[in-house]
Amino acid sequence: MTLNDIIVAALAQLDRGHDAQTLDVWRDKFARFANDGAADLAYALKPRRTETAEIRGGLIDLSGLGRECLKALRVSRGGKELPFHQGGSTGLLSLPGCPDGEAEITYQYAPRELSAATDVPELPEACHALIVTYVVARERASGDVSVQRGAGIYFQLYEAGKRLLPPHRGCPDAYRIVNRW
């Protein structure tokens, strides 16, 4: 679903029109709600990404990665894992004694924020309907007192759907038992 589809679906659940003028009125507010929902789902799912990063002076600058790095999980070169720890600042990874060059880094990331009408959340398809439910819940919760009571059921539906999502989807090593001793 695109951001526009999410907004239209939320407006339909709220029994509001979805013509161009109505979309313009609600776009900014619903986009903020959708981004909050996507961030919450990403925190629950812990999506991973693997990229090539440059090691310079025994450090990897995490700001050079394609997405915001929430947690570095693995650094490897030539199939061999490299030991690492936090560098001098939070945006650096230190690889002591490692020569300069390229390495593969696997990290947990935060998805990009949705801003354009055609943006698609960087989460599995199963999450897109949950984002709509979250937007509806937030809108109902921000309304007057007579509408706020309806927000609870939407938050419950959202949380129930979030619990059903499998963590580490598509990561075969997420459930591997490794004997480290």
Side-chain angles (χ1 to χ4, degrees):
M1 296 178 92
T2 64
L3 176 59
N4 203 47
D5 295 336
I6 292 169
I7 294 170
V8 167
L11 287 170
Q13 286 190 27
L14 291 164
D15 292 328
R16 298 180 185 159
H18 54 273
D19 57 286
Q21 185 178 3
T22 306
L23 283 173
D24 287 340
V25 169
W26 295 103
R27 182 176 316 282
D28 291 339
K29 184 176 186 181
F30 283 11
R32 280 194 315 273
F33 292 163
N35 284 321
D36 290 347
D40 184 57
L41 288 169
Y43 181 76
L45 283 177
K46 299 175 181 22
R48 298 175 172 200
R49 224 177 128 88
T50 301
E51 292 182 27
T52 301
E54 190 70 30
I55 301 173
R56 290 194 182 123
L59 298 171
I60 293 178
D61 185 6
L62 298 176
S63 64
L65 298 174
R67 302 289 181 280
E68 178 187 356
C69 177
L70 299 178
K71 181 179 182 181
L73 303 171
R74 179 178 185 219
V75 178
S76 64
R77 180 183 277 165
K80 182 182 174 192
E81 283 194 44
L82 303 172
F84 65 91
H85 57 83
Q86 182 178 337
S89 72
T90 56
L92 298 174
L93 260 169
S94 176
L95 293 97
C98 186
D100 290 356
E102 290 186 341
E104 297 287 318
I105 179 169
T106 302
Y107 62 99
Q108 181 183 334
Y109 69 94
R112 286 190 177 144
E113 288 201 353
L114 307 171
S115 57
T118 57
D119 287 351
V120 177
E122 292 180 324
L123 295 170
E125 284 285 326
C127 297
H128 296 185
L130 288 175
I131 294 172
V132 173
T133 305
Y134 183 83
V135 170
V136 172
R138 287 280 302 270
E139 174 57 23
R140 286 193 178 269
S142 68
D144 62 16
V145 176
S146 64
V147 179
Q148 286 179 355
R149 287 183 295 138
I153 189 68
Y154 284 97
F155 279 123
Q156 288 175 1
L157 287 170
Y158 170 76
E159 290 296 330
K162 188 170 74 169
R163 277 192 303 275
L164 292 175
L165 294 171
H168 308 298
R169 173 183 291 203
C171 302
D173 62 339
Y175 301 102
R176 183 177 58 191
I177 297 174
V178 178
N179 185 357
R180 296 191 183 255
W181 292 279

